[in-house]
Each structure stands twice: as C-alpha cells, then as structure tokens.
Amino acid sequence: MRKMLVAAITLALALPAGTVLAAPAAAPATAAAETPTQLPRGVMPTHYAVSIVPHVDKLTFDGHVVIDVTVATPTSRITLNALGMTFSSATLAPAAGGKALPAKATVDAANQTARFTFAKPVTAGKYRLTLDYTGKIGTQANGLFAINYPTANGQRRALFTQFENSDARRFIPSWDEPAYKATFDLTVTAPKGEMAVSNMPIASTADLGHGLARVKFETTPKMSTYLLFFGLGDFERTTTESDGTQIGVVAQKGKAAQAGFVLDSAKTILHDYNDYFGIRYPLPKLDNIAAPGSSQFFSAMENWGAIFTFEYAMLLDPAYSTQGDRMNVFNTAAHEMAHQWFGDLVTMRWWDDLWLNEGFASWMAERETEKVHPEWNTVLETVRVREGAMGRDAIATTHPIVQKIATVEEASQAFDTITYAKGEAVIRMLEAYVGDAAWRQGVHDYLAAHAYGNTVSDDLWHAMDKVAGGKPITQVAHDFTLQPGVPLINVTAATCRDNRSTVSLTQGEFSRDQPHKTPLRWHVPVIAQVVGQPATSTLIDGSASVTLAGCGPVLVNAGQSGYYRTLYAPTLRASLAKDFTRLAPIDQLGLLGDSWAEGMAGLEPVSDFLDLAHAVPADASPELWSRVAGSLVGLDAYYRGDKPRQTRFRAYAVKQLRPEFDRIGWVPKPNESTSATLLRTQLIGALAQLGDARMLADVRQRFAAAKTNPKALPAALRQSVYMIVAEHADTKAWDELHAQAKAEKTPMIKDRLYRLLGIADDQALAERALALALTDEPGATNSAGMISAVAWHFPDLAWNFAMAHREQVAKLVDSSASSQFYPRLASASFDPSMIDKVKAYAASLPASARRPAETAIANIEYRMMIRKDRLPAVDAWLAKH
C-alpha cells in the first residue's frame, strides 16, 4: 500500500522541518479500535466461491459464498470475520457430499465476527460452508465503496474495493487474516454496459437480460483476503505486454491516454523485477486501475494482479500535471508492483511484520527509480526519506519496526513513517553492509523458499545469513528492527600519522525530546573516510578506533547509507565545514541534516547549521538549495504569531533565496535538469511563503493573465501558482477558486481545487472552508482533506471545529484512518492548552488507539521548546548577518 501523499506533501510547506507528523488518518474512535484481531484456530479455509449482486442505488449488495474449509478438530461452531452484514442462510456440508447441517448465525459487531453454531459437533474433515448475506456499499475507501465523480456528460458512479488491512470482512465473511491464504472465484452481476475488473482475467460473461450480465473471473492463486479486488464502472482499458504478461491500465472513459506513462513504465518495471527477483510474475495479467477521489489513509493498493490507484497518483493531465507528479506516478507504480512479490507472493504472517511488505516495496521502488530514471537524481531523495524516519524515530512515542499488533486499530496505525521510511532506510543500510550481489541473492532465496506462503522477519534474516559471508546480518538487523530509536555516532578525535588517520568513535542515542535518556545499543555498520580518500567500513558496537587512508577532514557515514546521526567534536566539525564544497552532494545533504537535527536538539550550536546553509554556493546542486529552502521555510513557521521577529527573519531568508530563483527564472532553460525544474517550483513556493512581495505580485499577475490567455500559466507552474493564490487569497480570489472548483469537470483537478480552499491564511476564509467541508458539495472523499488543510495555518480552529462536529466528520473519513485524524489537526499548534485538549481526547480512547495523540502532544511540546530555547540563537545569528 502506498501512503496518502498529496496532503502530506503540501503540509510539508507549512510546517517546520523536523516536525513529527502522525500517519495519515481520521475520525473519532469507534468500537473497531478495541477489536481483537486474531480468530480462534482449528478451521482453515482453502477456497472461496463468491457471488456478488450490487444494488448501487441502495448502497447495498447481496452476497453468496461457498467456502471450502478443513476442520482440524471436532467443533460445534465456526467463527470468522464479518462486518456490516446480515445473514439469511448458513449451512455446512461435507465436501465429498452428504446432508447439509443448518447453522445459527450470531453476529458480534464489536469484535467484527460472525459465529455459526451447529446443533451437534462436526467431526474433523473437509466441508463446504455456504452463506447468503447482505452487505453495505460505503462512500469511503473501506470494503466495497462507491465514488461519484463529474464528467463532461454528467455525474457517474463507480464501485471499487479496498481491503487492507482488515476490511475484506465487509465484502466476504472470511478468515480475514494474512496467514489464512486461499484461492478465490469471484462472480458478479453487473450492468451490461459497464466494465468489471478483478485480480484475474474474465473467464466468462453471460447475458441475464434486463440489461444485466453475469461476469465470472478466473480462479486466483493462493493469497490473503486483503488482496482480493473488484471494480465496476464506465471504464476503458488499454494494454501492453512484458515478458509474456498482459499489462493493462483501467480508467474512466476518456482518461486512458493520461495513463500512458504509467503503462509504459509498468512494462519496464515488470521486466526489471522479473530479472532482479529471479522469479517471474505468476499471474496472466497485471492491471492498474485509476479511481477518482482520495483517501486519508492511502493513495494506492497492491491487490494481486489489480493494483488500485487514485487518479492523482496515476494519471498525468497535460494541462495540470508537473514533473513532480510524473515522478510520483512512477514511484507509486514501482512501489505497488514490488508488492506483487513482497506482500502478495510472500506475505507477512501477521501485521507485526508489516514492514516486510512496505519497507521493501519502498526500497525497491527507489532502487528502480534510480535505475530507470537516473536523470531524476533520486538517489539524493534517500537522504530526505531517512531524515523523515529519524525525525519520527527520535521521540518518545516511537516504536520498533517490528511491533506487537493486538487490535485492528493497531494494525491500521502500523502504516506509518517507521514502517515505510525507516524500513526503507534500514534495508538500504543492510544492502550496503552485505553488498549488492549478496543481498539480491538473499532476496531471491527468501522469495523462492516462501512463495505463496507467509513469513516473519527472521525468515529473511536466515536467508541473508547464508549469503552474507560471515557478517552478523541477523544481529545487526535485530538491533535496528526489534528496538526503536536512532543511534548517534560521536566522532570524538582524529589524529594523523604517516598519512593515516586514526579516528575515535563512540556510540550513543539521538533523541529530540529525551536528552537524559539512557541510550540503547546497536551494532552499527559505519562507512568513514578522509575527504577525497578511499572509504573504510567497520561495525561499531559501543566504541571503535578506525584507521583511514590520508589526512584531512574526516567524514563519517560517507555515501549516507547508514541509519544514524553523526556528531563531530567542534574542531572536527569546523574542519569538515571548511571542506563542505568538496563533499559529494549526498554527503552535503547528510551533513546539513545532522547539523539541523543536532542543533535543534541542543547537541551543537544552531549557528553551525545556519553557517553551513549561508555558505552554500550559487552553483551548488539544486537538491542542496532545496534543503536550504525547506529549512528556512521551516524556521519561518516557528516565528508564527511573532511579527517583528518573523519580519526580520524573512528579510534574511528572502535575501538568501531570491538570487537562486533569479538564476533559475520562471522559464525553463534548454536541457534543464529535472532537479532544477523541481527547485523552481519549490523556490516559488518558499519565497511566497516567506512573504516576498515580488514573488506574490508575479504569481497574482500570472493567475490573472491566465483568465484570458491560458498559455500565461503553463502546466508546470499551474499547481504552484494556484496554491499560492489560495493560501494568500482575499474574499474575491477565494470565491473565484470556489467557482472554478464547482464548475470543474475533471475529477482530479476538481478534488485539488476543493482542498486548496482550505489553505487560506485568512481565518474568515478558513472558517468558510470548514463549513463547506460538511456539505455534500466537495464530494465525500474530499471533505476530510479540506479540514486537514485548514489545520496548516489554524490548527486550533480546525481541531475545535472537528471536535464540535465529530459525528459528521466521522462519516467523511475511511475507518482505516481511525484515531489519527484529530491528532494530526493538532500537530502544528503552539498553544499549550492544545496539549490538554489532546490529552483529554486520548483519555477517551482505548489504549491501543492513543499513540497518534501522544505523538501529537510530543510534537507540540517540541515546537514550544524550539521557540523558547532555539529561536533566540537564530535571532542572535541574524543580528550578525
């Protein structure tokens, strides 16, 4: 599953660098938050034959399922997962034939189960459980759901399913746990003029008359319930082929051309993955299905053979999409396609090991992006990913990568930065430690040994141990996956003799909010070098003395593959800073990241980071300027509400960034790099955020000119200009954007326009956006995003509004995001009273649902500490510059 990105990316422009964000989510706690996850053992499903008849006008469906089960020991009842269902018939018959036993159905909504009780115990053996039931079609992305969307020919409605992590039980009474793998036959009664799509190709279609058809799909491979998929709507499908597998894209009619890039990309990706894994993709087809709308929880889902993706993460509209969108589309496709092996072919046994799915898919997607599109220079993006993970991992509310999951809510919360970003960063470190070739062999051996089965993390480490050449891979992996936190490598001394440097390293733990915490201990793979000399690798357990070739400034974590912070003694830090321009861009980014984090934590002077950022030359890599711009915007947000000090800071920040934007300009240069293209849009946003009058005037002029001359606002700049206009809107501009949103017929653009209405920095307009979010106008999947957008500038306003309308807001968010939405609204607050509000909210939740609230509290406390303890040092530095 790909986490929801759009709101998080935009939010990053408004929050200080290093801000801890709860995972995407939403809504007040429900009974689901206390739902135990695992079912009683003793009955094993092997095959589901499912027939579904949707009644879209009523938002209900009829279901009939025959489940082949094996009963291990005599029992008088069978318990499985079911949610939102009513049963009209239930029988159990021997698989070999014989009299069917009627069963009494008892539904337990709180535990999301149905129990079928028989008059007498059934003996061990093979049976067929036959159930007739009705279920609900939702309007948020859980279970079977409907999405309404506009077209040039009027409103349309499509059906889709989303089952991860625990929502197949809304569609099929089932053993809805990853380890209960089975095969599936799906049959659907659908309107003849609409396209039905599922994991497998269509096996047969029968005309039922009255405008209906019965569509039967081929049998799936053995897989977990959460990977089943069904979609139905006014679609069109375009195909290509790769290594004998048919690859398709399915989109609303008239939009298939916008999926051309993802179709071509999928062809390349599938071939590369077949080669890398050494195991061919096993299904006859692989579709990528585009859906209008959005979720507060995810942007794409890896259903085996039928990847589901919201349009904004798959389609490229030539009138609107940017280079950043193009890169996101590729990475999303690569992520979900990696899941076809890591997650679908081989699945974690339980949600404790979710990272085996998500961390690996994130790592593989980044690897594939680097391979296929080296011109995008995304290897430098790995530093940003690691920084995001360490920011979350360095506060008290963090958790290990492998974590104990006991409830449905805890399983939903596991889809977070630690699982995805830390998982990816740790894999990158381990790959560098054992070597590319050995790592690849270990991955192949692991997948081959467990195909169509379930695993735990140690299954992977055992495979790696066999190819790691004696390196203690399991020990290192356990240290980084079974305990939380960020190692801190202290570089305490360096001496040089006979052109060899001896460097002293000691290990601690980096924390943002626990300065006196007793540090944990890791076996840390470290790569170090004297700048310009060959690197040396070592494994640190506590402390070490490392000998390096050459004399000069010492760089630890050369290449930035390590998951740790590096803290240099002052003289060593100063020496390295003098040679900053000699470092590779990836190491410049790593040094800036460590300097920022350690300055904010009080481990080194904040001025060290400011000195480094101030000295960045005009010809530095665009990625480095991107880091500087992001940090300055982040610092600016800490000054919110203190106009005199913020004005002084902004004058410096604009003076620092404006020359770089003037060098890049509004118009792309011939053969411009992708990095420069991305930097242009970031600098436009940063300078506007910093209140640069010239930038704001230019943006408004281009927005106005586009009303009569669309060419005045090219697609590459449209999103940036619209975002700035929306954020700095007056009533007239806000009304104009609102009118555009209402009139827009392209769902992807319409959705984004409605979300932009929430980012206005005018409180009266923010209040109008909140009121609009509770109406039907924005669309069922957009309203929660509008409320989140308001929280970027007015967290207290958004929190109070959402709490006051909890019953209405709860209907606007998919249940997988339960318990996280409110804490996320509060995260940007500086008000101490917000801590008490979030604590009171957390106290009303079951213990399993409180981590996001606790994280929000930690974030608010951290922001307050930065204002009190760090900004005075920034002010003092500004006085000298």
Side-chain angles (χ1 to χ4, degrees), residues 65 115 143 168 207 251 271 324 396 423 533 542 623 636-638 681 700 714 759 778 856 873:
V65 62
R115 184 175 66 250
D207 189 342
H271 172 77
Q533 299 295 321
E623 289 82 6
D636 176 71
Y638 284 117
T681 57
R700 288 169 176 145
I759 70 172

Side-chain angles (χ1 to χ4, degrees), residues 517-540:
K517 179 181 184 292
T518 301
L520 299 173
R521 189 162 172 170
W522 295 261
H523 291 77
V524 184
V526 170
I527 301 173
Q529 66 178 160
V530 171
V531 175
Q533 299 295 321
T536 296
S537 300
T538 189
L539 189 68
I540 294 182

Side-chain angles (χ1 to χ4, degrees), residues 553-576:
V554 172
L555 174 67
V556 175
N557 204 4
Q560 303 303 309
S561 62
Y563 185 80
Y564 54 86
R565 293 270 179 221
T566 305
L567 180 62
Y568 297 90
T571 56
L572 299 178
R573 185 166 60 244
S575 177
L576 193 57

Side-chain angles (χ1 to χ4, degrees), residues 775-846:
T775 70
D776 293 335
E777 182 190 314
T781 67
N782 290 325
S783 292
M786 291 179 67
I787 298 171
S788 293
V790 170
W792 304 342
H793 284 297
F794 303 103
D796 303 83
L797 175 68
W799 168 276
N800 292 335
F801 178 87
M803 293 294 288
H805 300 87
R806 290 182 67 175
E807 185 176 348
Q808 291 166 277
V809 172
K811 298 175 183 178
L812 304 175
V813 185
D814 35 329
S815 63
S816 300
S818 178
S819 85
Q820 300 172 65
F821 181 73
Y822 288 105
R824 189 177 69 192
L825 298 179
S827 290
S829 177
F830 287 107
D831 188 347
S833 68
M834 180 60 79
I835 294 175
D836 293 331
K837 293 178 183 179
V838 178
K839 284 182 178 179
Y841 165 74
S844 71
L845 303 178

Side-chain angles (χ1 to χ4, degrees), residues 397-409:
T397 60
T398 188
H399 62 83
I401 288 177
V402 178
Q403 57 181 313
K404 181 63 178 176
I405 301 297
T407 69
V408 168
E409 179 57 40

Side-chain angles (χ1 to χ4, degrees), residues 610-621:
L610 295 171
D611 287 338
L612 279 176
H614 185 71
V616 171
D619 61 353
S621 70

